Structure formats: structure tokens, C-alpha cells
Amino acid sequence: MAKLFLKFEDQVIQEVPLSGGIITIGRQPDNVLRIDNPAVSGYHAKVYSEGGHYVLEDAESFNGTYVNSQRINKVVLKNGDKALIGKHTIEFSDQQEIWHGSVSSVGGPAQGTKAKLPQLDRTAFLDTAKAKELIAMAVAAGSSGGAAAVQAKGVSPSISPNQAPAPAHVAHQTIGTLTIMEGRTDQKSYVLTSRLTVIGKSKMAGIRLKRWFAPHVAASIYRSEDGYFIAASGDKIKVKVNDVVVEGGKKQLEPGHVIEVDGIKAVFGFCEA
């Protein structure tokens, strides 16, 4: 029987036999194969039988689905194929194999009344460089073992019980803001409290564009320990900061920066938390 093996750092953590039904994959708890990771969409992808083969199809996820290091929309699975979703790997097997380690086996979705789904946080933005890094880590884990791959990334050693922690540095926290100067949006000003704020026409967008033919996701503003950054959603969409087109994936925002994207112009700033 064909199976899917969910792996994290090259360790099998879940096994799903394929018996002809649809295997949904995502962060929502009603998925057959649930991956609780902020980089995974609520309903990220699905596996199903078609024409005597099993097919993996991306469900228009925010960060995409990769099979054998290539981003896909839909692909026929072959024995040994490895799909990267967020930070997890899903391996497809169409033959009987013995896997060592403790795994949980899932036979399919539970029957009965469908429970009300929780409201998830927005899917975390996973930029192209980070996705490539995760792909490289998955390849390294498959060839030389997960522990070696993790060690190569430089995991910090644990603190000894007798070692006093360093005193915390208390900083005055500020939150980013965006004030719309031109263009049609659902509001005139925004406080950017989320780690990810999507600009677009999508219902999940934190900054909703009202133009008729606006893209579902035009750009994203995400915050990190280093500050706020803006990135376009694709090569066809241009994002300008102070009249300069953003190149190289992302641009850090500073107070007073003027942002232009898909017909809107806005000013970035800070306010006290």
C-alpha cells in the first residue's frame, strides 16, 4: 500500500496510508495530515488518486509546495519523492518498507459532526531565500542525517542550571504604522502589530486593496527583531520605496519612507506600543 511519511529533521513523526481518498495537508486541525507550523497554510496541499497514480496538488498556499527542490502546482508522485511544506518533509512511498522509530498512524479523517475550526494566526511569510535554505537543509538531512544537518546550522548549547542567565535588556518598544496617502484601501491608517501584514485584495489581507483588478497578494510587510521589511509577492509586481524599485527580495523600512505598490502610496512610521 502506498503511504506518506511526515518527517521533521529526518525523523518520521507520522505515517498515513493511502487508500484512494483525499489526504488534506495543512495547519487546521481537521486536516488528515496536520502540520502545526506558522509557515504552513490552514489548507496547504492535498494528495489524491487520479488515473491510477497519486497526485500532490498545492492548494494555493501562501508559501508554496516543493517536490524534489522544485516548486509545484500539481505533480504525479513517484516512489521516493520528497515534498517540502514549511519546515517539514513528506516522503511518498508506493511499496512496503520498514521504518524505525516511533510514529503515529492515521487512517483518515474522523466521521461525524464537523467541529468548529479555530481561528489561526496568519501564515508566516517565508521568503525565497529562506525556502531555498530549508530545501538545502532537507537535502542535507536526507543524505547525511538530521542530527548532522542541525549541528551544521549551529544550535545554541543549553544553559547549565548553575549558569545565571544574562540580564534582560529592556527596550522601549515601538510598533510600525502605515498611513495611506493615495489609492483605495479599506482604511486610511494601519497599525502593524502582526508579524505579517499582507497587502492585496485577498480576504486574509491586513491592508485590503479596493481596486477592481488588484492582485490577491501584492506585497507583504513583516516584522522581525531587526525591524520591518517589505517584499513584493512576485516578479510582475513592483514595490517602490522613496521612488526606488525594491530589488533583491526585500527592503527594510524606516520612518518617513514612502511606499508605492499597485496603485497605493503610503507613509511608514512608528508609534509607541
Side-chain angles (χ1 to χ4, degrees), residues 4-7 13-16 23-36 40 42 44-45 47 85 89-91 104 106:
L4 297 176
F5 295 93
L6 176 64
K7 295 182 176 183
I13 58 176
Q14 192 172 342
E15 174 186 324
V16 180
I23 304 297
T24 56
I25 304 167
R27 195 153 47 108
Q28 285 283 9
D30 64 333
N31 284 286
V32 178
L33 197 56
R34 186 191 183 197
I35 303 177
D36 189 11
V40 178
H44 197 105
V47 175
I85 295 180
T89 302
I90 298 175
E91 185 168 342
S104 60
V106 177

Side-chain angles (χ1 to χ4, degrees), residues 25 41 43-46 57-62 65 72-73:
I25 304 167
S41 297
Y43 299 101
H44 197 105
K46 58 184 177 180
E57 183 176 350
D58 184 77
E60 297 183 356
S61 63
F62 190 70
T65 301
I72 60 97
N73 291 320

Side-chain angles (χ1 to χ4, degrees), residues 47-92:
V47 175
Y48 56 92
S49 179
E50 182 179 82
H53 301 280
Y54 282 101
V55 174
L56 171 63
E57 183 176 350
D58 184 77
E60 297 183 356
S61 63
F62 190 70
N63 285 312
T65 301
Y66 295 79
V67 173
N68 301 332
S69 304
Q70 299 294 322
R71 185 164 184 167
I72 60 97
N73 291 320
K74 180 178 177 181
V75 67
V76 174
L77 292 171
K78 302 183 297 294
N79 182 56
D81 278 351
K82 295 181 180 180
L84 183 69
I85 295 180
K87 297 182 179 181
H88 290 68
T89 302
I90 298 175
E91 185 168 342
F92 173 73

Side-chain angles (χ1 to χ4, degrees), residues 55-218:
V55 174
L56 171 63
E57 183 176 350
D58 184 77
E60 297 183 356
S61 63
F62 190 70
N63 285 312
T65 301
Y66 295 79
V67 173
N68 301 332
S69 304
Q70 299 294 322
R71 185 164 184 167
I72 60 97
N73 291 320
K74 180 178 177 181
V75 67
V76 174
L77 292 171
K78 302 183 297 294
N79 182 56
D81 278 351
K82 295 181 180 180
L84 183 69
I85 295 180
K87 297 182 179 181
H88 290 68
T89 302
I90 298 175
E91 185 168 342
F92 173 73
S93 173
D94 63 359
Q95 60 187 7
Q96 293 291 335
E97 296 185 22
I98 298 175
W99 292 86
H100 299 284
S102 175
V103 302
S104 60
S105 180
V106 177
Q111 301 295 321
T113 304
K114 188 173 183 180
K116 184 178 179 181
L117 299 177
Q119 182 66 38
L120 299 178
D121 293 335
R122 290 191 178 109
T123 304
F125 177 70
L126 193 64
D127 62 24
T128 304
K130 184 63 176 177
K132 289 181 179 178
E133 180 184 358
L134 291 173
I135 290 170
M137 289 177 64
V139 172
S143 60
S144 57
V150 174
Q151 186 176 6
K153 286 297 296 177
V155 178
S156 300
S158 58
I159 298 175
S160 169
N162 298 325
Q163 181 181 353
H169 176 69
V170 179
H172 188 67
Q173 187 178 13
T174 55
I175 300 297
T177 63
L178 203 66
T179 304
I180 305 300
M181 301 168 59
E182 298 177 11
R184 297 177 58 195
T185 55
D186 59 339
Q187 297 175 203
K188 289 300 181 183
S189 61
Y190 301 87
V191 180
L192 308 176
T193 56
S194 300
R195 289 189 177 184
L196 172 74
T197 302
V198 172
I199 303 173
K201 199 172 183 178
S202 170
K203 290 182 179 180
M204 68 168 281
I207 300 174
R208 295 279 300 277
L209 301 179
K210 293 297 187 179
R211 190 171 62 83
W212 272 100
F213 298 104
H216 285 279
V217 179

